[in-house]
Amino acid sequence: MKVSQAEFQNMKEEIVKDLISRLMDERGLSMEQAFDAVYTSRLFEKLNDPKTGLYFQSSGYVYSFLIEELQPAD
């Protein structure tokens, strides 16, 4: 399915908003920490690429990848 640039941007922004909110609610991060975690993640780079299709996924699904990325390496 083809979406316009504006639709892509809106869908991406909704996911980012949900990711930040969940990090604050579930992980106790401050707003600044949550913004930093999302916008500096490898996941955000992938979310910015329409070819990945991540913008079509639920925010919960995308959040699971973010949490996995944020887990400290053992």
Side-chain angles (χ1 to χ4, degrees):
M1 176 198 258
K2 185 86 168 147
V3 297
S4 70
Q5 184 63 30
E7 290 170 322
F8 168 71
Q9 191 66 27
N10 280 343
M11 293 168 85
K12 183 180 72 172
E13 287 174 5
E14 283 298 313
I15 290 174
V16 167
K17 180 181 78 169
D18 289 347
L19 296 177
I20 290 168
S21 179
R22 287 185 75 167
L23 285 173
M24 292 170 60
D25 292 344
E26 296 176 15
R27 300 290 170 146
L29 272 59
S30 70
M31 185 179 292
E32 185 178 326
Q33 290 170 321
F35 268 85
D36 187 54
V38 171
Y39 284 110
T40 61
S41 68
R42 290 184 312 276
L43 176 82
F44 184 71
E45 291 176 30
K46 293 176 183 172
L47 190 57
N48 271 320
D49 182 356
K51 294 177 199 157
T52 67
L54 279 176
Y55 66 97
F56 266 126
Q57 304 301 321
S58 72
S59 59
Y61 179 75
V62 177
Y63 180 72
S64 69
F65 287 106
L66 179 62
I67 291 304
E68 187 175 309
E69 179 180 335
L70 295 176
Q71 295 298 324
D74 291 330

Short mmCIF file of all heavy atoms in Angstrom, two decimals, residues 7-73:
data_model
loop_
_atom_site.label_atom_id
_atom_site.label_comp_id
_atom_site.label_asym_id
_atom_site.label_seq_id
_atom_site.Cartn_x
_atom_site.Cartn_y
_atom_site.Cartn_z
N GLU A 7 1.07 11.26 5.29
CA GLU A 7 0.50 10.12 6.01
C GLU A 7 1.58 9.34 6.73
O GLU A 7 1.42 8.93 7.89
CB GLU A 7 -0.25 9.20 5.05
CG GLU A 7 -1.53 9.80 4.50
CD GLU A 7 -2.12 8.98 3.38
OE1 GLU A 7 -1.37 8.45 2.54
OE2 GLU A 7 -3.37 8.89 3.33
N PHE A 8 2.70 9.12 6.04
CA PHE A 8 3.83 8.43 6.65
C PHE A 8 4.29 9.18 7.90
O PHE A 8 4.50 8.60 8.96
CB PHE A 8 4.98 8.28 5.65
CG PHE A 8 6.27 7.85 6.25
CD1 PHE A 8 6.44 6.55 6.73
CD2 PHE A 8 7.34 8.72 6.35
CE1 PHE A 8 7.63 6.14 7.30
CE2 PHE A 8 8.53 8.33 6.91
CZ PHE A 8 8.68 7.04 7.39
N GLN A 9 4.44 10.48 7.78
CA GLN A 9 4.91 11.31 8.90
C GLN A 9 3.93 11.23 10.07
O GLN A 9 4.36 11.07 11.22
CB GLN A 9 5.06 12.77 8.43
CG GLN A 9 5.79 13.66 9.40
CD GLN A 9 7.24 13.27 9.59
OE1 GLN A 9 7.88 12.70 8.71
NE2 GLN A 9 7.78 13.58 10.74
N ASN A 10 2.64 11.31 9.78
CA ASN A 10 1.63 11.22 10.85
C ASN A 10 1.67 9.87 11.55
O ASN A 10 1.59 9.82 12.79
CB ASN A 10 0.23 11.46 10.29
CG ASN A 10 -0.08 12.92 10.10
OD1 ASN A 10 0.58 13.78 10.65
ND2 ASN A 10 -1.11 13.19 9.32
N MET A 11 1.76 8.81 10.78
CA MET A 11 1.77 7.47 11.37
C MET A 11 3.02 7.29 12.23
O MET A 11 2.96 6.73 13.33
CB MET A 11 1.71 6.42 10.26
CG MET A 11 0.37 6.43 9.54
SD MET A 11 0.39 5.46 8.03
CE MET A 11 0.04 3.84 8.69
N LYS A 12 4.15 7.76 11.73
CA LYS A 12 5.40 7.66 12.48
C LYS A 12 5.33 8.47 13.77
O LYS A 12 5.72 7.99 14.84
CB LYS A 12 6.55 8.14 11.59
CG LYS A 12 7.91 8.02 12.23
CD LYS A 12 8.99 8.51 11.30
CE LYS A 12 8.93 10.00 11.21
NZ LYS A 12 10.03 10.62 10.49
N GLU A 13 4.79 9.67 13.70
CA GLU A 13 4.69 10.53 14.88
C GLU A 13 3.78 9.93 15.95
O GLU A 13 4.05 10.04 17.14
CB GLU A 13 4.21 11.93 14.49
CG GLU A 13 5.28 12.73 13.77
CD GLU A 13 4.77 14.06 13.25
OE1 GLU A 13 3.60 14.43 13.51
OE2 GLU A 13 5.55 14.73 12.56
N GLU A 14 2.70 9.26 15.52
CA GLU A 14 1.81 8.61 16.48
C GLU A 14 2.53 7.48 17.21
O GLU A 14 2.38 7.32 18.43
CB GLU A 14 0.56 8.07 15.78
CG GLU A 14 -0.45 9.13 15.45
CD GLU A 14 -1.00 9.83 16.68
OE1 GLU A 14 -1.38 9.16 17.66
OE2 GLU A 14 -1.06 11.07 16.66
N ILE A 15 3.31 6.71 16.49
CA ILE A 15 4.07 5.62 17.12
C ILE A 15 5.09 6.19 18.09
O ILE A 15 5.22 5.72 19.22
CB ILE A 15 4.74 4.73 16.06
CG1 ILE A 15 3.67 3.93 15.31
CG2 ILE A 15 5.76 3.79 16.70
CD1 ILE A 15 4.18 3.13 14.14
N VAL A 16 5.81 7.22 17.67
CA VAL A 16 6.83 7.83 18.54
C VAL A 16 6.19 8.37 19.81
O VAL A 16 6.71 8.18 20.91
CB VAL A 16 7.61 8.93 17.78
CG1 VAL A 16 8.43 9.79 18.73
CG2 VAL A 16 8.50 8.31 16.71
N LYS A 17 5.05 9.03 19.67
CA LYS A 17 4.33 9.56 20.83
C LYS A 17 3.98 8.42 21.80
O LYS A 17 4.20 8.54 23.01
CB LYS A 17 3.07 10.27 20.37
CG LYS A 17 2.24 10.85 21.49
CD LYS A 17 1.00 11.52 20.96
CE LYS A 17 0.00 10.45 20.62
NZ LYS A 17 -1.34 10.92 20.33
N ASP A 18 3.49 7.31 21.26
CA ASP A 18 3.15 6.17 22.11
C ASP A 18 4.39 5.56 22.76
O ASP A 18 4.35 5.17 23.93
CB ASP A 18 2.43 5.09 21.29
CG ASP A 18 1.03 5.50 20.89
OD1 ASP A 18 0.50 6.49 21.44
OD2 ASP A 18 0.45 4.82 20.01
N LEU A 19 5.49 5.46 22.02
CA LEU A 19 6.72 4.90 22.58
C LEU A 19 7.20 5.74 23.76
O LEU A 19 7.56 5.19 24.81
CB LEU A 19 7.82 4.83 21.52
CG LEU A 19 7.58 3.92 20.32
CD1 LEU A 19 8.74 4.03 19.33
CD2 LEU A 19 7.38 2.48 20.75
N ILE A 20 7.20 7.04 23.59
CA ILE A 20 7.66 7.94 24.65
C ILE A 20 6.76 7.82 25.87
O ILE A 20 7.23 7.70 27.01
CB ILE A 20 7.74 9.39 24.13
CG1 ILE A 20 8.90 9.50 23.13
CG2 ILE A 20 7.90 10.38 25.28
CD1 ILE A 20 8.94 10.78 22.34
N SER A 21 5.46 7.81 25.64
CA SER A 21 4.51 7.70 26.74
C SER A 21 4.69 6.39 27.50
O SER A 21 4.69 6.37 28.74
CB SER A 21 3.09 7.79 26.18
OG SER A 21 2.14 7.65 27.20
N ARG A 22 4.87 5.30 26.78
CA ARG A 22 5.04 4.00 27.44
C ARG A 22 6.34 3.93 28.22
O ARG A 22 6.37 3.34 29.31
CB ARG A 22 4.97 2.88 26.41
CG ARG A 22 3.55 2.66 25.90
CD ARG A 22 3.45 1.49 24.99
NE ARG A 22 3.52 0.26 25.77
CZ ARG A 22 3.21 -0.93 25.29
NH1 ARG A 22 2.80 -1.06 24.04
NH2 ARG A 22 3.29 -2.00 26.04
N LEU A 23 7.40 4.50 27.68
CA LEU A 23 8.67 4.51 28.42
C LEU A 23 8.53 5.27 29.73
O LEU A 23 9.07 4.87 30.76
CB LEU A 23 9.79 5.13 27.57
CG LEU A 23 10.35 4.27 26.46
CD1 LEU A 23 11.33 5.07 25.61
CD2 LEU A 23 11.02 3.01 27.00
N MET A 24 7.78 6.36 29.69
CA MET A 24 7.57 7.14 30.91
C MET A 24 6.70 6.38 31.91
O MET A 24 7.02 6.32 33.09
CB MET A 24 6.94 8.49 30.55
CG MET A 24 7.88 9.40 29.78
SD MET A 24 7.09 10.87 29.09
CE MET A 24 6.46 11.65 30.57
N ASP A 25 5.61 5.79 31.41
CA ASP A 25 4.67 5.09 32.28
C ASP A 25 5.22 3.77 32.82
O ASP A 25 5.09 3.47 34.00
CB ASP A 25 3.35 4.80 31.55
CG ASP A 25 2.57 6.06 31.24
OD1 ASP A 25 2.85 7.12 31.84
OD2 ASP A 25 1.66 5.98 30.39
N GLU A 26 5.80 2.97 31.93
CA GLU A 26 6.20 1.61 32.30
C GLU A 26 7.63 1.50 32.81
O GLU A 26 7.93 0.58 33.58
CB GLU A 26 6.01 0.68 31.10
CG GLU A 26 4.56 0.56 30.68
CD GLU A 26 4.34 -0.29 29.44
OE1 GLU A 26 5.26 -1.03 29.04
OE2 GLU A 26 3.25 -0.20 28.85
N ARG A 27 8.48 2.40 32.38
CA ARG A 27 9.89 2.33 32.78
C ARG A 27 10.31 3.44 33.72
O ARG A 27 11.45 3.48 34.16
CB ARG A 27 10.80 2.35 31.53
CG ARG A 27 10.57 1.21 30.57
CD ARG A 27 11.05 -0.08 31.18
NE ARG A 27 10.65 -1.24 30.40
CZ ARG A 27 11.37 -2.31 30.28
NH1 ARG A 27 12.53 -2.41 30.87
NH2 ARG A 27 10.93 -3.33 29.58
N GLY A 28 9.40 4.38 33.98
CA GLY A 28 9.68 5.46 34.92
C GLY A 28 10.69 6.48 34.41
O GLY A 28 11.31 7.19 35.21
N LEU A 29 10.84 6.58 33.09
CA LEU A 29 11.77 7.55 32.53
C LEU A 29 11.14 8.94 32.56
O LEU A 29 9.91 9.08 32.47
CB LEU A 29 12.12 7.21 31.08
CG LEU A 29 13.29 6.27 30.83
CD1 LEU A 29 13.10 4.92 31.49
CD2 LEU A 29 13.54 6.10 29.36
N SER A 30 11.98 9.96 32.70
CA SER A 30 11.50 11.33 32.57
C SER A 30 11.19 11.56 31.10
O SER A 30 11.60 10.78 30.23
CB SER A 30 12.57 12.32 33.04
OG SER A 30 13.66 12.33 32.12
N MET A 31 10.49 12.63 30.81
CA MET A 31 10.17 12.94 29.42
C MET A 31 11.45 13.10 28.60
O MET A 31 11.56 12.58 27.49
CB MET A 31 9.30 14.19 29.31
CG MET A 31 8.84 14.46 27.88
SD MET A 31 7.81 15.92 27.70
CE MET A 31 6.34 15.39 28.56
N GLU A 32 12.42 13.80 29.16
CA GLU A 32 13.69 14.01 28.46
C GLU A 32 14.39 12.68 28.19
O GLU A 32 14.89 12.45 27.09
CB GLU A 32 14.59 14.92 29.29
CG GLU A 32 15.88 15.29 28.59
CD GLU A 32 16.73 16.24 29.40
OE1 GLU A 32 16.16 17.10 30.12
OE2 GLU A 32 17.96 16.13 29.33
N GLN A 33 14.42 11.80 29.19
CA GLN A 33 15.06 10.50 29.01
C GLN A 33 14.33 9.67 27.95
O GLN A 33 14.96 8.99 27.14
CB GLN A 33 15.06 9.73 30.33
CG GLN A 33 15.99 10.29 31.37
CD GLN A 33 15.78 9.63 32.72
OE1 GLN A 33 14.63 9.35 33.13
NE2 GLN A 33 16.87 9.38 33.43
N ALA A 34 13.00 9.71 27.97
CA ALA A 34 12.21 8.94 27.01
C ALA A 34 12.43 9.46 25.58
O ALA A 34 12.61 8.67 24.65
CB ALA A 34 10.74 8.99 27.38
N PHE A 35 12.43 10.79 25.41
CA PHE A 35 12.69 11.37 24.09
C PHE A 35 14.07 10.94 23.61
O PHE A 35 14.24 10.53 22.45
CB PHE A 35 12.62 12.90 24.14
CG PHE A 35 11.28 13.47 23.81
CD1 PHE A 35 10.30 13.60 24.79
CD2 PHE A 35 10.98 13.88 22.52
CE1 PHE A 35 9.06 14.13 24.49
CE2 PHE A 35 9.74 14.41 22.21
CZ PHE A 35 8.78 14.54 23.21
N ASP A 36 15.05 11.04 24.48
CA ASP A 36 16.42 10.68 24.12
C ASP A 36 16.52 9.20 23.74
O ASP A 36 17.15 8.85 22.74
CB ASP A 36 17.37 10.99 25.28
CG ASP A 36 18.82 10.81 24.92
OD1 ASP A 36 19.26 11.41 23.91
OD2 ASP A 36 19.51 10.07 25.63
N ALA A 37 15.87 8.34 24.52
CA ALA A 37 15.91 6.90 24.25
C ALA A 37 15.33 6.58 22.88
O ALA A 37 15.88 5.78 22.13
CB ALA A 37 15.16 6.14 25.34
N VAL A 38 14.21 7.21 22.55
CA VAL A 38 13.56 6.93 21.27
C VAL A 38 14.35 7.52 20.10
O VAL A 38 14.68 6.83 19.14
CB VAL A 38 12.10 7.46 21.25
CG1 VAL A 38 11.50 7.37 19.85
CG2 VAL A 38 11.26 6.69 22.26
N TYR A 39 14.66 8.81 20.19
CA TYR A 39 15.25 9.50 19.04
C TYR A 39 16.71 9.12 18.76
O TYR A 39 17.21 9.38 17.68
CB TYR A 39 15.11 11.01 19.18
CG TYR A 39 13.70 11.48 18.89
CD1 TYR A 39 12.87 11.95 19.90
CD2 TYR A 39 13.18 11.42 17.60
CE1 TYR A 39 11.58 12.37 19.64
CE2 TYR A 39 11.89 11.84 17.32
CZ TYR A 39 11.10 12.31 18.35
OH TYR A 39 9.82 12.72 18.08
N THR A 40 17.37 8.50 19.72
CA THR A 40 18.76 8.06 19.48
C THR A 40 18.85 6.56 19.23
O THR A 40 19.95 6.03 19.09
CB THR A 40 19.68 8.45 20.66
OG1 THR A 40 19.22 7.79 21.84
CG2 THR A 40 19.74 9.95 20.84
N SER A 41 17.72 5.89 19.16
CA SER A 41 17.73 4.43 18.99
C SER A 41 17.92 4.01 17.53
O SER A 41 17.60 4.76 16.61
CB SER A 41 16.42 3.83 19.51
OG SER A 41 15.33 4.22 18.67
N ARG A 42 18.42 2.81 17.36
CA ARG A 42 18.51 2.22 16.01
C ARG A 42 17.10 1.99 15.48
O ARG A 42 16.87 2.10 14.27
CB ARG A 42 19.29 0.90 16.05
CG ARG A 42 20.77 1.07 16.33
CD ARG A 42 21.54 -0.24 16.28
NE ARG A 42 20.96 -1.35 17.01
CZ ARG A 42 21.12 -1.58 18.32
NH1 ARG A 42 21.87 -0.76 19.03
NH2 ARG A 42 20.56 -2.62 18.91
N LEU A 43 16.18 1.68 16.37
CA LEU A 43 14.80 1.48 15.98
C LEU A 43 14.24 2.73 15.30
O LEU A 43 13.53 2.64 14.30
CB LEU A 43 13.93 1.12 17.18
CG LEU A 43 12.46 0.99 16.85
CD1 LEU A 43 12.17 -0.38 16.28
CD2 LEU A 43 11.60 1.29 18.03
N PHE A 44 14.54 3.91 15.83
CA PHE A 44 14.04 5.15 15.24
C PHE A 44 14.58 5.32 13.82
O PHE A 44 13.85 5.78 12.93
CB PHE A 44 14.40 6.36 16.11
CG PHE A 44 13.81 7.64 15.59
CD1 PHE A 44 12.44 7.87 15.68
CD2 PHE A 44 14.61 8.61 15.03
CE1 PHE A 44 11.89 9.05 15.20
CE2 PHE A 44 14.07 9.79 14.54
CZ PHE A 44 12.70 10.01 14.64
N GLU A 45 15.81 4.94 13.60
CA GLU A 45 16.37 4.99 12.24
C GLU A 45 15.54 4.12 11.30
O GLU A 45 15.23 4.51 10.18
CB GLU A 45 17.82 4.53 12.22
CG GLU A 45 18.78 5.48 12.90
CD GLU A 45 20.19 4.93 12.94
OE1 GLU A 45 20.57 4.18 12.02
OE2 GLU A 45 20.92 5.28 13.88
N LYS A 46 15.18 2.94 11.78
CA LYS A 46 14.36 2.02 10.96
C LYS A 46 12.95 2.56 10.78
O LYS A 46 12.36 2.41 9.70
CB LYS A 46 14.33 0.64 11.61
CG LYS A 46 15.67 -0.05 11.59
CD LYS A 46 15.62 -1.36 12.31
CE LYS A 46 17.01 -1.99 12.33
NZ LYS A 46 17.08 -3.17 13.16
N LEU A 47 12.41 3.18 11.81
CA LEU A 47 11.07 3.76 11.73
C LEU A 47 11.04 4.89 10.70
O LEU A 47 10.02 5.10 10.04
CB LEU A 47 10.64 4.26 13.11
CG LEU A 47 9.20 4.68 13.30
CD1 LEU A 47 8.24 3.56 12.96
CD2 LEU A 47 8.99 5.14 14.73
N ASN A 48 12.13 5.59 10.55
CA ASN A 48 12.22 6.68 9.58
C ASN A 48 12.32 6.20 8.14
O ASN A 48 12.18 6.99 7.22
CB ASN A 48 13.45 7.56 9.88
CG ASN A 48 13.13 8.66 10.83
OD1 ASN A 48 12.07 9.27 10.75
ND2 ASN A 48 14.04 8.92 11.74
N ASP A 49 12.59 4.93 7.95
CA ASP A 49 12.71 4.36 6.61
C ASP A 49 11.39 3.70 6.23
O ASP A 49 11.05 2.65 6.75
CB ASP A 49 13.85 3.34 6.58
CG ASP A 49 14.08 2.74 5.22
OD1 ASP A 49 13.31 3.04 4.27
OD2 ASP A 49 15.03 1.95 5.09
N PRO A 50 10.64 4.29 5.31
CA PRO A 50 9.34 3.72 4.95
C PRO A 50 9.44 2.30 4.39
O PRO A 50 8.49 1.53 4.48
CB PRO A 50 8.77 4.67 3.92
CG PRO A 50 9.81 5.67 3.61
CD PRO A 50 10.94 5.50 4.58
N LYS A 51 10.59 1.93 3.88
CA LYS A 51 10.76 0.59 3.31
C LYS A 51 10.65 -0.51 4.36
O LYS A 51 10.34 -1.65 4.04
CB LYS A 51 12.11 0.48 2.60
CG LYS A 51 12.22 1.35 1.37
CD LYS A 51 13.60 1.24 0.76
CE LYS A 51 13.86 2.42 -0.13
NZ LYS A 51 15.28 2.65 -0.32
N THR A 52 10.91 -0.19 5.64
CA THR A 52 10.84 -1.21 6.69
C THR A 52 9.40 -1.59 7.01
O THR A 52 9.15 -2.66 7.52
CB THR A 52 11.50 -0.73 8.00
OG1 THR A 52 10.74 0.36 8.54
CG2 THR A 52 12.95 -0.34 7.79
N GLY A 53 8.46 -0.67 6.74
CA GLY A 53 7.06 -0.93 7.04
C GLY A 53 6.71 -0.82 8.51
O GLY A 53 5.58 -1.12 8.90
N LEU A 54 7.65 -0.41 9.34
CA LEU A 54 7.37 -0.32 10.79
C LEU A 54 6.24 0.66 11.10
O LEU A 54 5.51 0.47 12.06
CB LEU A 54 8.63 0.07 11.56
CG LEU A 54 9.61 -1.04 11.87
CD1 LEU A 54 10.84 -0.48 12.55
CD2 LEU A 54 8.97 -2.12 12.72
N TYR A 55 6.10 1.68 10.30
CA TYR A 55 5.06 2.67 10.55
C TYR A 55 3.66 2.08 10.42
O TYR A 55 2.69 2.65 10.90
CB TYR A 55 5.23 3.89 9.63
CG TYR A 55 5.00 3.59 8.17
CD1 TYR A 55 3.77 3.84 7.58
CD2 TYR A 55 6.02 3.04 7.38
CE1 TYR A 55 3.56 3.55 6.24
CE2 TYR A 55 5.82 2.76 6.05
CZ TYR A 55 4.58 3.02 5.48
OH TYR A 55 4.38 2.75 4.16
N PHE A 56 3.53 0.92 9.77
CA PHE A 56 2.26 0.23 9.62
C PHE A 56 1.95 -0.68 10.81
O PHE A 56 0.83 -1.18 10.94
CB PHE A 56 2.26 -0.66 8.37
CG PHE A 56 1.70 -0.01 7.16
CD1 PHE A 56 2.43 0.04 5.99
CD2 PHE A 56 0.43 0.55 7.16
CE1 PHE A 56 1.93 0.64 4.86
CE2 PHE A 56 -0.09 1.15 6.03
CZ PHE A 56 0.66 1.19 4.88
N GLN A 57 2.91 -0.90 11.67
CA GLN A 57 2.75 -1.83 12.79
C GLN A 57 2.14 -1.11 13.99
O GLN A 57 2.16 0.11 14.09
CB GLN A 57 4.10 -2.43 13.18
CG GLN A 57 4.81 -3.13 12.04
CD GLN A 57 3.99 -4.27 11.46
OE1 GLN A 57 3.33 -5.02 12.17
NE2 GLN A 57 4.04 -4.40 10.14
N SER A 58 1.65 -1.89 14.92
CA SER A 58 1.10 -1.30 16.15
C SER A 58 2.25 -0.73 16.98
O SER A 58 3.39 -1.20 16.91
CB SER A 58 0.34 -2.35 16.95
OG SER A 58 1.25 -3.26 17.54
N SER A 59 1.91 0.26 17.80
CA SER A 59 2.95 0.84 18.65
C SER A 59 3.46 -0.19 19.66
O SER A 59 4.63 -0.17 20.03
CB SER A 59 2.46 2.10 19.35
OG SER A 59 1.33 1.83 20.15
N GLY A 60 2.59 -1.11 20.09
CA GLY A 60 3.02 -2.16 21.01
C GLY A 60 4.07 -3.07 20.40
O GLY A 60 5.04 -3.46 21.06
N TYR A 61 3.87 -3.41 19.15
CA TYR A 61 4.83 -4.25 18.43
C TYR A 61 6.17 -3.53 18.29
O TYR A 61 7.23 -4.09 18.58
CB TYR A 61 4.26 -4.59 17.06
CG TYR A 61 5.15 -5.44 16.19
CD1 TYR A 61 5.30 -6.79 16.43
CD2 TYR A 61 5.81 -4.88 15.10
CE1 TYR A 61 6.11 -7.59 15.61
CE2 TYR A 61 6.62 -5.66 14.28
CZ TYR A 61 6.77 -7.01 14.54
OH TYR A 61 7.56 -7.78 13.74
N VAL A 62 6.13 -2.27 17.90
CA VAL A 62 7.35 -1.48 17.74
C VAL A 62 8.02 -1.28 19.10
O VAL A 62 9.25 -1.36 19.21
CB VAL A 62 7.05 -0.13 17.05
CG1 VAL A 62 8.30 0.73 16.93
CG2 VAL A 62 6.44 -0.36 15.66
N TYR A 63 7.22 -1.07 20.14
CA TYR A 63 7.75 -0.88 21.49
C TYR A 63 8.55 -2.10 21.94
O TYR A 63 9.58 -1.95 22.59
CB TYR A 63 6.58 -0.61 22.44
CG TYR A 63 6.97 -0.39 23.88
CD1 TYR A 63 7.60 0.79 24.28
CD2 TYR A 63 6.69 -1.34 24.86
CE1 TYR A 63 7.94 1.01 25.60
CE2 TYR A 63 7.02 -1.13 26.18
CZ TYR A 63 7.64 0.05 26.55
OH TYR A 63 7.98 0.26 27.87
N SER A 64 8.10 -3.29 21.57
CA SER A 64 8.82 -4.50 21.98
C SER A 64 10.24 -4.51 21.41
O SER A 64 11.17 -4.95 22.07
CB SER A 64 8.06 -5.76 21.56
OG SER A 64 8.05 -5.93 20.16
N PHE A 65 10.41 -4.00 20.21
CA PHE A 65 11.75 -3.91 19.62
C PHE A 65 12.60 -2.86 20.34
O PHE A 65 13.80 -3.05 20.55
CB PHE A 65 11.69 -3.58 18.14
CG PHE A 65 11.22 -4.73 17.29
CD1 PHE A 65 9.95 -4.73 16.75
CD2 PHE A 65 12.04 -5.81 17.04
CE1 PHE A 65 9.51 -5.78 15.97
CE2 PHE A 65 11.62 -6.87 16.27
CZ PHE A 65 10.34 -6.86 15.73
N LEU A 66 11.96 -1.76 20.71
CA LEU A 66 12.69 -0.71 21.42
C LEU A 66 13.17 -1.22 22.77
O LEU A 66 14.32 -1.01 23.15
CB LEU A 66 11.80 0.52 21.60
CG LEU A 66 12.44 1.69 22.35
CD1 LEU A 66 13.67 2.23 21.62
CD2 LEU A 66 11.42 2.79 22.57
N ILE A 67 12.30 -1.90 23.51
CA ILE A 67 12.67 -2.44 24.82
C ILE A 67 13.82 -3.44 24.67
O ILE A 67 14.77 -3.44 25.46
CB ILE A 67 11.45 -3.08 25.51
CG1 ILE A 67 10.45 -2.00 25.89
CG2 ILE A 67 11.85 -3.89 26.73
CD1 ILE A 67 11.02 -0.89 26.76
N GLU A 68 13.74 -4.26 23.67
CA GLU A 68 14.82 -5.22 23.41
C GLU A 68 16.14 -4.49 23.17
O GLU A 68 17.18 -4.87 23.69
CB GLU A 68 14.46 -6.09 22.21
CG GLU A 68 15.42 -7.22 21.98
CD GLU A 68 14.95 -8.12 20.84
OE1 GLU A 68 13.79 -8.55 20.85
OE2 GLU A 68 15.78 -8.38 19.95
N GLU A 69 16.08 -3.42 22.39
CA GLU A 69 17.29 -2.65 22.11
C GLU A 69 17.84 -1.97 23.36
O GLU A 69 19.05 -1.86 23.54
CB GLU A 69 16.98 -1.58 21.04
CG GLU A 69 18.18 -0.72 20.70
CD GLU A 69 17.86 0.33 19.65
OE1 GLU A 69 16.92 0.16 18.86
OE2 GLU A 69 18.60 1.33 19.63
N LEU A 70 16.95 -1.52 24.24
CA LEU A 70 17.37 -0.78 25.43
C LEU A 70 17.88 -1.68 26.56
O LEU A 70 18.46 -1.17 27.52
CB LEU A 70 16.22 0.08 25.94
CG LEU A 70 15.75 1.20 25.02
CD1 LEU A 70 14.54 1.91 25.61
CD2 LEU A 70 16.87 2.17 24.69
N GLN A 71 17.64 -2.98 26.45
CA GLN A 71 18.11 -3.90 27.48
C GLN A 71 19.63 -3.91 27.52
O GLN A 71 20.27 -3.98 26.47
CB GLN A 71 17.61 -5.33 27.22
CG GLN A 71 16.12 -5.49 27.32
CD GLN A 71 15.57 -5.16 28.69
OE1 GLN A 71 16.17 -5.43 29.72
NE2 GLN A 71 14.40 -4.55 28.70
N PRO A 72 20.21 -3.84 28.71
CA PRO A 72 21.67 -3.89 28.79
C PRO A 72 22.20 -5.25 28.30
O PRO A 72 21.57 -6.28 28.55
CB PRO A 72 21.98 -3.68 30.26
CG PRO A 72 20.69 -3.91 30.98
CD PRO A 72 19.56 -3.75 30.00
N ALA A 73 23.29 -5.21 27.62
CA ALA A 73 23.92 -6.45 27.13
C ALA A 73 24.56 -7.19 28.31
O ALA A 73 25.16 -6.58 29.19
CB ALA A 73 24.97 -6.13 26.09
#
